[in-house]
Amino acid sequence: QLTLLTMDHSDGIQHNRCQDWKNRALKNCKIVKNIINKIEANNHKFSPGCIYCENCMNLELKGGLNKIPEIILCQNNLHSQEELETILSHELVHYLDHTKNTNWDNINELARSEIRAAKYSLECHNDKTKLVKGPNNPEKCSISEEFKKCVREKAVTSVRIITDKNSQEATSIVDKIFDKVYNEPL
């Protein structure tokens, strides 16, 4: 499990902005609310009090889940409401997996959670990865290959950063379980 090296959150402007974005996401973001409903359906009472806005020393990180579990949002590395919602939804999937007794020291379980977080969060939901349907594809209405590729790439990147594996090792770990995990429900 990733250890988030955090500094204090004494920068009042960043902290207040992060708190505001977090509260708006909890209230208005459908994907965030859906994941929280799944957490609670798993017989786990979720409290927004376990989500903290803090400064993170690692500038590659936007957020993370510690072993308590608490979600840390890296207020100094987040630059918009949309970005916070993306990171929060990703970390909430990890939180859900934590309630299902994920062994974070097992690299395959970590990779599984990273695949699920990339798929079910807002990470890969952009214009290139929307449902493919239109004048050139009137009968096709499935999640595009671009979306699947994005999920795989995000999972590989997360595994590489968290475990200090090189890109080839991280890719091998993710690819071993990708198809099975990709088809799992939230």
Side-chain angles (χ1 to χ4, degrees):
Q1 181 94 10
L2 178 61
T3 301
L4 293 171
L5 298 176
T6 60
M7 304 176 283
D8 65 52
H9 54 261
S10 59
D11 181 349
I13 294 170
Q14 281 185 334
H15 185 72
N16 291 341
R17 183 183 63 191
C18 180
Q19 288 290 122
D20 183 49
W21 288 342
K22 174 188 81 169
N23 292 334
R24 276 194 252 160
L26 291 168
K27 182 179 178 185
N28 301 321
C29 181
K30 289 180 181 176
I31 289 184
V32 165
K33 289 164 51 173
N34 181 49
I35 299 167
I36 290 171
N37 288 338
K38 291 284 187 183
I39 291 167
E40 291 184 339
N42 198 41
N43 294 321
H44 186 86
K45 177 70 177 140
F46 180 79
S47 169
C50 73
I51 304 170
Y52 296 93
C53 291
E54 297 192 10
N55 286 325
C56 297
M57 292 191 300
N58 183 335
L59 298 180
E60 267 192 290
L61 295 176
K62 305 282 185 175
L65 179 75
N66 63 28
K67 292 187 179 194
I68 292 177
E70 296 167 329
I71 294 171
I72 306 298
L73 299 171
C74 297
Q75 65 193 23
N76 56 316
N77 299 334
L78 296 171
H79 306 291
S80 69
Q81 176 75 41
E82 182 179 302
E83 189 175 34
L84 180 134
E85 288 173 359
T86 299
I87 299 307
L88 180 56
S89 59
H90 178 103
E91 297 308 329
L92 282 167
V93 173
H94 290 318
Y95 191 101
L96 172 63
D97 289 344
H98 184 85
T99 68
K100 297 177 179 181
N101 298 315
T102 295
N103 177 357
W104 299 108
D105 295 323
N106 180 314
I107 197 150
N108 290 318
E109 290 189 37
L110 171 70
R112 175 184 173 268
S113 188
E114 291 299 343
I115 294 165
R116 289 168 45 77
K119 181 179 179 186
Y120 291 111
S121 71
L122 290 164
E123 257 183 305
C124 291
H125 293 265
N126 60 41
D127 291 339
K128 291 182 182 177
T129 59
K130 295 283 185 207
L131 296 180
V132 178
K133 186 175 183 176
N136 298 332
N137 254 343
E139 73 286 332
K140 188 172 184 177
C141 189
S142 63
I143 294 178
S144 71
E145 286 302 309
E146 286 297 315
F147 180 83
K148 197 171 185 177
K149 180 180 173 186
C150 175
V151 169
R152 182 182 166 279
E153 288 172 1
K154 296 288 185 182
V156 167
T157 298
S158 291
V159 168
R160 181 184 55 76
I161 290 169
I162 293 167
T163 64
D164 288 328
K165 299 283 185 195
N166 65 39
S167 290
Q168 186 176 12
E169 292 169 320
T171 299
S172 175
I173 291 162
V174 169
D175 283 350
K176 242 188 322 186
I177 62 172
F178 186 82
D179 289 330
K180 179 180 182 248
V181 173
Y182 186 83
N183 292 311
E184 287 180 7
L186 180 60

